[in-house]
Amino acid sequence: MAVDHVIIGSGINALVAAALLSLKDDKVLVLEREDRIGGCLRTDELIPGFSHDVMAATFVLFMTSPAGAALGPHLARHGMDYCHSPHPTAVLRPDGEALVLAMDRAENIRRFNALAPGDGTRHGTDVGAIEADAPFLFSLLGGDLWSWPTLKLMFGQVRRRGLKGMAAWFGSALAPARGWLETQYQSPLVQALWAPWVLHCGLTPESAYSAQMGKVIAFALEAAGAPIVKGGAGQAAEAFRKLIEEKGGTLRTGADVARILTANGRTTGVRLADGEEIAAKNVLASVTPSQLWGRLLDAPPAEAEATRAFRHGRGDFQLHFALDRAPEWLTPGLDQVALIHLSDGIDAVSRSANEAERGLLPAVPTICVGQPSQLDPSRCPDGKAVLWLQIPDAPRVIKGDAAGEITTGADWTEATREAFADRIEAILSRHIKDFAAIKLARRAYSPADLQAMNMNLVGGDPYGGSCTIDQFFLWRPFAHSPGACPIKGLHHIGASTHPGPGLGGGSGFNAAKRLGA
């Protein structure tokens, strides 16, 4: 079997590339080693009748991305639909104090100013600046950096701002979120609303450029909300499958690629673990660097050295509940919020992330609570509910427990996983009336469990590698080889490549465009 493009893996970037290339009538083959396509787009039954998204859940990045704009109408024909809430996010502090974000800038400005004079005005300035810079900023964040359109865009900005103005813009864009929030906002509640969001970018409040990412998230949530896919993230993968097959593409599961084949400095196809060989003009590999330059290919010296130095970030911990009824929050106004962070603020977020990075189970983890059944009642029987919890600061390798309460070894065992889940549940239950009485079932996924489901999630790292500045933008995955692979016809895509993690599908989109889509 010979095809134009073999795509290894079937996460969001692989599916975006496959769909775009299929739409131009190229012959596309997607090979997935697991028993289903989708990567982190996975929906399971917690108990019969209760659907939960195991990992990825919120689609604002895809809905607002170039990939979403190009593919949205096609995917809608195949059943992909969004469910929304007018209240995308909120923060809930341990004392029960909460702040809810609305999809209404004037309302947010009013609320923030009521908490501290000037905070609302500052919010309007911050999100307004992102809005004004959107064409330039989002091209840097998601576009192909090594391209003539990006170069022309940069020249345009230099003409508009001047060299000193450009230097000032980049300098301010590298500021950490702690500096931004503590100097620009007086209200601890407003600070607490935004501080946890940097964790979802693979950063911490002290990381370079985390302030800019916090502002981008604030703008995106206010403008587009926190939509989920009706029926679950798995339905998005199914819509992609139908579109790709409609256009003549093929998707195979249980197809483990053991080797990328090359000859005379270019790819010729792949060999599967069972020995089958498939010829292809191009190979798009949605994998981590260690898989590409180790398992699939013999690494040239530069790639071998860079792969050894490549760092993965914190792990992810997922916890899901089936409830006998919708949660009754002890703090009013949270019942229709899509995503609620349980956190006391900047210091609490910084502490939990730092503990996880040092290999400790956080004593008070930062908890993101999703309420998918409030947005999409099809997720469970009438009158029941599903809660989706993500803890974005779990250790990949365990060195101990920051609270000194859980006995651990170096690995995530079932006992460790459930003890940590007990800690999280105890924090959650303090905010919901009669939580123990309405809980029907619970399922936890440790970083080790997530890696077992998807080998790209090394140590449970959902971001394809640490997102610190030395492994991002021009330097992702490696500083010495941005934008290109040393083998012709080979295209490295996925979260480990620019523009990084998330459901925007940026690297798959950019690769498809380079191939003429």
Side-chain angles (χ1 to χ4, degrees), residues 169-236:
W169 187 91
F170 277 108
S172 63
L174 291 174
R178 180 182 287 277
W180 165 51
L181 293 171
E182 288 186 338
T183 61
Q184 302 300 313
Y185 292 92
Q186 300 176 59
S187 168
L189 198 53
V190 176
Q191 295 174 3
L193 177 68
W194 299 124
W197 276 103
V198 302
L199 300 182
H200 298 280
C201 302
L203 303 172
T204 73
E206 289 73 36
S207 298
Y209 78 92
S210 56
Q212 190 76 348
M213 295 309 297
K215 295 173 187 178
V216 168
I217 288 169
F219 168 73
L221 290 171
E222 186 179 81
I228 61 175
V229 171
K230 186 175 183 179
Q235 293 300 312

Side-chain angles (χ1 to χ4, degrees), residues 32-218:
E32 170 57 57
R33 72 192 301 267
E34 302 298 335
D35 63 357
R36 69 179 87 178
I37 65 165
C40 291
L41 305 178
R42 180 182 178 121
T43 303
D44 284 338
E45 275 198 324
L46 182 54
I47 55 177
F50 289 76
S51 297
H52 70 109
D53 290 333
V54 176
M55 289 171 273
T58 304
F59 280 73
V60 61
L61 291 180
F62 181 76
M63 191 178 75
T64 58
S65 72
L71 294 172
H74 299 285
L75 295 170
R77 287 192 296 105
H78 293 292
M80 184 171 167
D81 192 15
Y82 295 111
C83 301
H84 301 264
S85 167
H87 306 296
T89 193
V91 66
L92 177 58
R93 301 181 74 188
D95 62 3
E97 189 180 29
L99 176 61
V100 177
L101 184 78
M103 290 179 66
D104 182 328
R105 186 171 303 174
E107 174 64 13
N108 292 328
I109 290 172
R110 185 193 65 77
R111 288 183 186 180
F112 292 7
N113 275 334
L115 290 169
D119 277 12
T121 305
R122 167 51 56 184
H123 170 74
T125 299
D126 284 343
V127 294
I130 298 297
E131 188 172 39
D133 278 339
F136 172 52
L137 179 59
F138 287 105
S139 291
L140 290 181
L141 291 175
D144 192 342
L145 295 179
W146 295 93
S147 67
W148 283 112
T150 300
L151 186 61
K152 291 177 182 177
L153 189 71
M154 290 292 293
F155 278 131
Q157 290 294 311
V158 170
R159 285 197 300 269
R160 185 166 75 87
R161 302 172 189 264
L163 286 174
K164 288 185 177 180
M166 281 297 293
W169 187 91
F170 277 108
S172 63
L174 291 174
R178 180 182 287 277
W180 165 51
L181 293 171
E182 288 186 338
T183 61
Q184 302 300 313
Y185 292 92
Q186 300 176 59
S187 168
L189 198 53
V190 176
Q191 295 174 3
L193 177 68
W194 299 124
W197 276 103
V198 302
L199 300 182
H200 298 280
C201 302
L203 303 172
T204 73
E206 289 73 36
S207 298
Y209 78 92
S210 56
Q212 190 76 348
M213 295 309 297
K215 295 173 187 178
V216 168
I217 288 169

Side-chain angles (χ1 to χ4, degrees), residues 90 107 136 162 175 231 245 267 272 284 312 364 406 426:
E107 174 64 13
F136 172 52
E245 291 179 343
T267 57
L272 303 188
L284 288 75
H312 282 277
V364 184
I406 300 174

Side-chain angles (χ1 to χ4, degrees), residues 351-369:
R351 186 183 305 113
S352 65
N354 180 262
E355 288 169 350
E357 289 185 344
R358 290 186 289 121
L360 303 177
L361 301 174
V364 184
T366 303
I367 303 170
C368 181
V369 183

Side-chain angles (χ1 to χ4, degrees), residues 1-37:
M1 173 182 187
V3 296
D4 293 311
H5 315 285
V6 160
I7 301 178
I8 303 172
S10 65
I12 185 65
N13 287 288
L15 293 174
V16 164
L20 289 169
L21 293 169
S22 295
L23 283 168
K24 70 182 286 279
D25 294 325
D26 285 1
K27 194 171 184 180
V28 175
L29 173 62
V30 177
L31 299 173
E32 170 57 57
R33 72 192 301 267
E34 302 298 335
D35 63 357
R36 69 179 87 178
I37 65 165

Side-chain angles (χ1 to χ4, degrees), residues 369-409:
V369 183
Q371 303 188 92
S373 53
Q374 295 297 89
L375 281 65
D376 176 13
S378 74
R379 301 285 183 100
C380 59
D382 289 346
K384 311 301 182 182
V386 171
L387 288 184
W388 173 96
L389 274 65
Q390 183 180 66
I391 294 78
D393 48 17
R396 290 187 297 110
V397 177
I398 303 174
K399 298 178 182 178
D401 176 27
E405 299 168 350
I406 300 174
T407 301
T408 72

